[in-house]
Amino acid sequence: MSDKTISRRDFLRLGTVAAAGAALAACATPTPQVIREEVEVTRVVEKEGETVVEVVTATPPPKEPVTIVATSQMSITTWDNSVERAKERLPGINLRVTQTGMPGGWSAYADRVITQIAGGEQLDVIMIAVEGIPLLGAKKILRPLEPYIEPDAEAQEIIDDTHPLLLSMLQWEAKQLEIPFSWNNMVMYYNTKIFAEKGIDPPKEDWTWDDFLDTCLKVADVKGTADDLYAYSFWGSGMFGMCAWYFVNDTSPLTDDWKDSNMLDPKVAETLQFLADLILKYKVAPNPTGWDEWGQFHAGHLAMRTCGRWCISGSLNEGFTDYDLQYQPYKSGPFRTVAGTDGWGIATMSRYPDEAWQVVKLLSGKEASLDMVRLGGNIPTLRSVAEMPEFKEYGPPNTAIFYESLDYAKTVVSPPNFNVIEPILDRNYATIWNGEKTVEEAVQTAHEELQAEMDKLKAEG
């Protein structure tokens, strides 16, 4: 504690200055409150027969800790170390992390978050991916973060260490709704042991659809037995996995502004026909519905699969190392992969937004990012973490392909009605994979349903 003594006249002068300062502050743009460890207080005391005013710097009594609830799609154990760091570094906060389930993909995840909020559950900090940002942004569920970021040097370091494309993905109406934490693309995982046994050279960075099909025909050995070897398995549903194939053929299920169906683009049908032929004509790929891609890849019954970095976690758990990575085969256009990111944001409903902001920074930092990397999780948004030895250590030889692919990536299609249109597309894709409808029939049906929903969205404004 430090003391300094001033006269009554000086005290009155300082009071006038303070009042003027308060008036200016009232006119200023409000910024997030910062909890100070020490405050200045005044007290009137008698010293040597004279009344004086003391200005004392003192530490205020501790406040009751507030509980901040953060929810994520990732396993709760991902955040164990962060919870311990919060106990040490954020003594006024009791951090609790929950997991919101992902069955049904990001569209279902977004619906669950909205349901939790509508049901009155406490949610202060929310992790969601780009697929849910327009929906949560349109419903005003997340706070714009600019007032928190701009005066905060620690936050600026995180922003400066993040690729601009990833930041832009988590914006809505030019407002930053989340701080990016992790991201993913889709690349080709291939079994190096199977390739060597078949005498097939590893795929090159610039391989084409023709090269890929030729490789599939050489690898596959499917006879309807337990020893079947499929050449390739792909996601037959979900916007992320399907966009990975659309983008390498310079097309998309929606127009570039995400306002209308693009399903009648001939390249959409060309892409779907190529994938359908892998299943129905060449029989080098299984129907993806209900097929155990993870287990079959590690068991040696699948030579290639497309996935993001999160699939490394399964290989780490299985002790599986006979694989490497390459870009997906290419057909046309400037893009080589799809990209999507998730991040941490502050819920509008939070009663403690300033404390929630401290949690957002903690969960977005390098230490939390490294925790995820070591578990084989997603690609870190922090370039500095992606350049650390640990990132390469927890993955196959060509792990660097993940971060470098950002320069050739396109954002996954994510309109505000994502939770409505993804199931429409998935349902129609399934009719192609099982042979129920031709590509032309399924595309026409999907277009009509999709356009109706896009028209409805535009009518709602």
Side-chain angles (χ1 to χ4, degrees), residues 309 312 316 373-374 388-397 399:
R309 189 181 185 272
I312 287 178
L316 288 174
V373 165
R374 289 166 178 155
M388 290 181 178
E390 288 91 338
F391 184 66
K392 295 180 180 179
E393 177 184 349
Y394 291 89
T399 298

Side-chain angles (χ1 to χ4, degrees), residues 104-112 131 135 418-420 422-423:
W106 281 114
S107 57
Y109 178 91
D111 286 339
R112 290 187 186 97
E131 290 94 331
L135 177 61
F418 181 91
N419 60 326
V420 176
E422 187 183 51

Side-chain angles (χ1 to χ4, degrees), residues 83-124:
V83 170
E84 292 303 312
R85 293 182 194 111
K87 292 177 182 178
E88 176 185 347
R89 301 175 193 176
L90 304 175
I93 295 172
N94 174 29
L95 174 59
R96 183 162 64 88
V97 180
T98 65
Q99 183 181 19
T100 296
M102 279 286 287
W106 281 114
S107 57
Y109 178 91
D111 286 339
R112 290 187 186 97
V113 168
I114 292 171
T115 299
Q116 289 177 63
I117 291 172
E121 293 185 38
Q122 180 182 350
L123 280 184
D124 302 282

Side-chain angles (χ1 to χ4, degrees), residues 26 46 91 113 129 143 155 177 215 229 260 268 280 353 391 409 436 460:
E46 293 287 335
V113 168
R143 292 172 180 257
L177 297 189
T215 299
L229 171 60
D260 291 285
V268 168
L280 302 172
F391 184 66
E436 178 184 342
E460 294 170 354

Side-chain angles (χ1 to χ4, degrees), residues 72-74 79 106 109 126-131 133 166 169-170 178-184 340-345 364 372 378-379 381:
S72 164
Q73 79 285 3
M74 297 183 187
W79 315 107
W106 281 114
Y109 178 91
I126 297 171
M127 172 175 273
I128 199 165
V130 56
E131 290 94 331
I133 287 294
L166 300 176
M169 289 184 194
L170 300 184
E178 289 187 333
I179 300 293
F181 176 72
S182 70
W183 69 280
N184 263 299
T341 186
D342 57 34
W344 290 107
S364 302
M372 175 197 64
N378 300 338
I379 311 166
T381 59

